Structures are given as C-alpha cells and as structure tokens.
Amino acid sequence: MRDLFRFLLRQRDNLLFLLLLVLGLSMLIRGNMHQRAEWVSTSNAVTGRVFAFRSGIMAYTGLRESNIALNEALARERERSHAVIERRDTGAVRMDTIRHLRYRYRTAMVINSTTHKAKNYITLDKGTLDGVERNMGVIGTNGIVGVVREASAHFASVISVLNEDHVASAQVKNTGHFGLLRWDTRDPRTVSLTDIDKHVPVAVGDTVVTRGSEGVYPPGILVGVIGAVTEDPSTPFHLITVRLSEDLTRADHVQVVSDLMKAERDSLEMSTPKE
Amino acid sequence: MIGTLTNNLARFIILVLLQVFLLDHVDLANGWVVPYLYLLFLLMLPLDLPLWAGLILGFGTGMVMDLFSSTPGLHATACTVMMYGRALMLRALAPREGYDQQDRATITRMGLAWFVTYAGILILLHHLALFFLEVYRFNGALVTLARAFASTLATLLLCLLTQLLISRQARPR
C-alpha cells in the first residue's frame, strides 16, 4: 500500500498529464459527435456578454455599410410590395395575409463569428426569449448565413455555412436541378454544390438558390452564383464551386427564419412509412 | 512573489482579451494563418513552476479559449501537451549550472537564440496538436501540416514583438 502511494506521489505529474489529456480528448470527441456541447458554447451567458460588448464597439466601424445595405433591402421590399398591389388589382391573386403567412422573419445582430476555422460558428444577440429556436435558418442581406444550433435565453449559436457540418440542399435556378451544398473549399467566399449529374447543363454565372427541402431555409433564397465547373472523370457529377453572395466575413444584420408549418410537415413526414 | 503573481495574472488577462477580441478575427492569407498569441502567457510562466501547476494552468487557459471559440477540449488538449513539452524543453535548454533565481523566459534575460528555440519548438508542438485535432482526420495531412507551420511562424513573430515591446518598458531604471 505504501509503495502504491509512493508510486502515485512520484508519478503525480505524469498521471496528471494523462488525466488532463484524456479529459480534453473526451470533451473533444463528445463535442464532435454531438456537434454541440451544451455547456461550452458561444451562446453561453458569460461569453455572450463579452462578445456583445465587443460587437458594441465594432458596430460603429461598420455603420456606413450597414446603412447602405439596409437601404437597399428596404428598396427591394418596396418594389415587392408594389408588385403585390398590382397583381391584386387584376384580381388574379387573393392575398390572404394571415393564412398565407408561412415564414416568420426575426431580425438579429451577429455579435461574434469566425470564418477561418474548419468549423465556423456565429453568435447572435437574440435567443429563445425572442423566439429563436434550434434548426431555424439564418439569412443575411444578400444570402444564406447558417442554421441555429443552440439557443439560450438571450443568445443563439449558429452553424455557419462555412462549417463542414453545414449541409443544405440547393438548386440551380434556371434548370431546377438540385444538389447539396457543402463547405469543403476551405475558402470563406465559396462553397461546393455536389450531386448534380453531368448531363445537366450548368454554366459559370448561373444563379444558385435554396431548395428548402429540409424546412430550414425557405425555398428560393439566394446562395450565390456558379464560379467554376470542373469535370472529374471518376464521378458522374459536376464539381461545382459556388461564389457566395453573402460575404460571411462581414455579415452583421441577419434575419432568423422560422417555418410556421414545420411541425405539421415534420409530423406528416415522420408518419409516412419509409422503405 | 506577489509581483510575479500579479504580473502573470495581468499577462493572462491582457493576452486572452487580445486573443478573443482581436486575433481570433484576424484572417491572414484566407484563414491559413492564425496567430495564437495567448500562448505567450504559458511560455512566460516562472521557470521554477512545478509541472503539475503548469499542466493545470495550461489546461485551464485552453478551456478559457475553448469557451470563447466553442471548441470543447481543443485548446485545452493542445495546451496540456505543450505544457508537458515545456518541462522537457526547459530541462533540455537549461544552462550547465541550472537556472538562476532571477532567470525568466524572456529574450532580455535568456537571449534571442534561447527564446526562439524554446518558444519556436513549443509553439509548433501546440499548433500541430491543435490543427490536427481540429480537422479530426488525417487526410489532407500536408495541408494541415503547412497550416501549422505557417501559423507557428506568425505566432512566434508576434511573441517576439510583444516581448520586445514589454521588455523595453520593464527594463530596470
């Protein structure tokens, strides 16, 4: 017994090293497997406050650009409302604003984000108190930004489009063919569009929009334009690189989208037997 | 003793804040190069610090960084590895008569060659652990290796500059 104690005492540094190593690695593996770790997250109250303080300072440096972007968004919104009124005047479309409200948009500010890691996350200044929940889509002024991974009362942690774990379905706008968006380019300005067959005619400059099949992003939200198409004889698919329309290195004002019919849709899909 | 404590505490706070507020948002060469200056705190800990204390401080500092970057265990593991390596490194680099009472891991005290060897190898060790654990797989190993080396250069350069900046102020009057 005494020998054991003496051994433990003599080896205490090495044992401590092994203990801490195992502790760190197990946290790392658990965090990777669940893709979320509730207790260490940027939606945490402490780190959230620190990031809010930082973004409070940084927000001033981007005011000019933000105002320009807001103005543009407002202009587009006005155009759209005119279009609706004109169509309504012809009597062809009945605008039922209550029953046809499918998606709800909530505004939020990005208070922290990374773009250069293998897995990038974004922290928003709105949480469950403002109706932000898991798996809601996040959209910037110019395109998709990410998916809410975790929400606390006042903050939300978002899986950025620039994250290996972010997968969304998207389609080429003019042909309608769809594939999966994946961030394997390791470049914060581009993503890959995979699983589009080679017989599909795609060209550089074609617009890519979301398909909305997961119920995260609404359909038809801008993703970007095709920047390059390469042909690899070993696969039956095009290798397409999409230039993102939203600059994720500077996104600050974003909108969180919730699908009001998601619960109904999910329960229907769950109850439908699959082969 | 009290002076050492407050010095290290101030260094910890300043370096971590600098890392979280500024350097984590620096995006050099398309995200290939990320300087992790907070390591300077661990590098500049007292030379006679027992290994167990160093390991715990390394793990704790790593956890703080993990908290801010939502990467549970990533920095903690890399820092623990680095602090173990630090003990071996200090033993290997010790002068023949052992370290002096006043010796500290600074350029002004130990010389540029000593510090570059010491900090360079330890930063590389940390970055290799960090970048390989981050991508979590070994394909694309060459890219990861290149990223680790590039970032090591950036971190080392920043550490040297910071040390020169601090030491000029702290030179005895």
Side-chain angles (χ1 to χ4, degrees):
Chain A
M1 202 61 191
R2 198 184 301 156
D3 284 346
L4 179 68
F5 278 129
R6 201 176 299 147
F7 170 77
L8 287 179
L9 199 63
R10 192 150 22 91
Q11 293 292 322
R12 63 172 194 271
D13 287 350
N14 291 331
L15 290 174
L16 182 68
F17 174 60
L18 286 178
L19 181 79
L20 292 178
L21 207 61
V22 168
L23 198 65
L25 284 175
S26 64
M27 279 194 293
L28 193 67
I29 290 163
R30 213 172 34 211
N32 268 326
M33 294 226 299
H34 296 314
Q35 291 171 16
R36 65 209 198 102
E38 287 83 353
W39 65 279
V40 49
S41 157
T42 51
S43 62
N44 179 295
V46 180
T47 51
R49 246 161 261 270
V50 173
F51 285 133
F53 173 73
R54 176 184 186 274
S55 92
I57 299 168
M58 299 304 283
Y60 279 102
T61 61
L63 275 184
R64 205 181 116 79
E65 285 81 2
S66 290
N67 278 334
I68 292 169
L70 280 175
N71 210 7
E72 282 168 2
L74 182 66
R76 274 201 298 276
E77 219 39 61
R78 279 186 179 143
E79 277 172 28
R80 201 178 298 166
S81 68
H82 281 304
V84 168
I85 290 167
E86 275 164 30
R87 269 194 292 159
R88 197 195 283 166
D89 288 344
T90 65
V93 181
R94 210 184 81 213
M95 291 300 291
D96 185 343
T97 51
I98 294 174
R99 289 199 188 170
H100 281 200
L101 186 64
R102 172 77 193 271
Y103 294 98
R104 183 103 194 260
Y105 288 74
R106 296 173 171 86
T107 59
M109 279 275 288
V110 172
I111 55 174
N112 186 50
S113 66
T114 61
T115 54
H116 54 245
K117 307 204 165 142
K119 297 181 178 194
N120 292 298
Y121 294 99
I122 296 167
T123 312
L124 303 181
D125 68 343
K126 296 273 170 68
T128 48
L129 287 183
D130 294 291
V132 175
E133 305 277 345
R134 283 193 68 197
N135 290 331
M136 287 183 178
V138 181
I139 297 170
T141 319
N142 304 311
I144 61 168
V145 168
V147 181
V148 176
R149 172 187 70 155
E150 202 74 51
S152 64
H154 298 96
F155 301 103
S157 181
V158 175
I159 299 185
S160 165
V161 174
L162 310 179
N163 187 317
E164 296 167 336
D165 298 332
H166 179 277
V167 177
S169 63
Q171 56 189 16
V172 182
K173 196 177 179 186
N174 58 359
T175 68
H177 290 91
F178 54 85
L180 284 180
L181 286 178
R182 286 171 200 282
W183 189 58
D184 50 17
T185 58
R186 296 230 53 159
D187 173 358
R189 291 164 305 183
T190 58
V191 290
S192 291
L193 179 59
T194 56
D195 300 348
I196 291 204
D197 282 324
K198 275 190 177 150
H199 67 77
V200 177
V202 289
V204 171
D206 282 357
T207 307
V208 176
V209 296
T210 55
R211 185 174 169 231
S213 60
E214 309 93 346
V216 172
Y217 301 110
I221 300 289
L222 192 61
V223 174
V225 291
I226 293 178
V229 182
T230 39
E231 304 301 340
D232 180 356
S234 66
T235 76
F237 304 115
H238 290 296
L239 300 176
I240 301 174
T241 307
V242 179
R243 264 189 289 122
L244 290 168
S245 52
E246 179 73 34
D247 183 355
L248 280 125
T249 60
R250 54 184 291 178
D252 51 359
H253 290 276
V254 294
Q255 289 159 4
V256 183
V257 192
S258 50
D259 183 350
L260 298 178
M261 298 178 190
K262 186 170 167 52
E264 179 185 333
R265 186 187 143 167
D266 284 353
S267 65
L268 175 68
E269 286 183 352
M270 287 288 271
S271 63
T272 311
K274 293 191 180 69
E275 297 294 314
Chain B
M1 187 63 203
I2 303 281
T4 315
L5 192 68
T6 48
N7 272 349
N8 279 290
L9 198 63
R11 218 156 27 223
F12 174 77
I13 293 169
I14 292 171
L15 287 175
V16 166
L17 287 182
L18 205 63
Q19 185 71 47
V20 173
F21 275 11
L22 204 64
L23 294 174
D24 270 357
H25 302 267
V26 168
D27 197 356
L28 286 171
N30 241 335
W32 263 60
V33 179
V34 189
Y36 288 111
L37 184 63
Y38 77 94
L39 293 179
L40 189 61
F41 161 72
L42 296 174
L43 292 172
M44 287 179 74
L45 284 171
L47 294 177
D48 52 1
L49 190 75
L51 178 53
W52 60 267
L55 289 172
I56 290 173
L57 279 173
F59 190 83
T61 309
M63 277 311 297
V64 172
M65 292 311 302
D66 283 334
L67 212 61
F68 280 108
S69 53
S70 20
T71 49
L74 180 64
H75 284 275
T77 313
C79 286
T80 309
V81 170
M82 191 189 85
M83 289 311 279
Y84 195 81
R86 178 179 184 262
L88 303 178
M89 201 66 202
L90 282 177
R91 210 174 303 155
L93 287 177
R96 202 166 305 147
E97 315 80 36
Y99 292 102
D100 213 314
Q101 196 66 36
Q102 288 119 20
D103 275 352
R104 258 170 291 149
T106 59
I107 299 173
T108 38
R109 184 72 208 181
M110 306 302 291
L112 186 65
W114 185 92
F115 189 79
V116 169
T117 321
Y118 166 78
I121 292 177
L122 288 181
I123 290 170
L124 183 64
L125 181 67
H126 172 275
H127 285 16
L128 283 176
L130 187 83
F131 282 101
F132 273 104
L133 288 173
E134 187 189 21
V135 298
Y136 203 56
R137 59 180 121 78
F138 273 90
N139 58 356
L142 265 168
V143 176
T144 310
L145 210 61
R147 288 191 71 203
F149 273 100
S151 296
T152 300
L153 278 180
T155 308
L156 183 61
L157 206 66
L158 262 181
C159 281
L160 292 176
L161 287 174
T162 314
Q163 274 232 333
L164 291 173
L165 218 69
I166 299 173
S167 65
R168 189 169 300 162
Q169 290 169 342
R171 194 162 283 170
R173 286 131 274 179

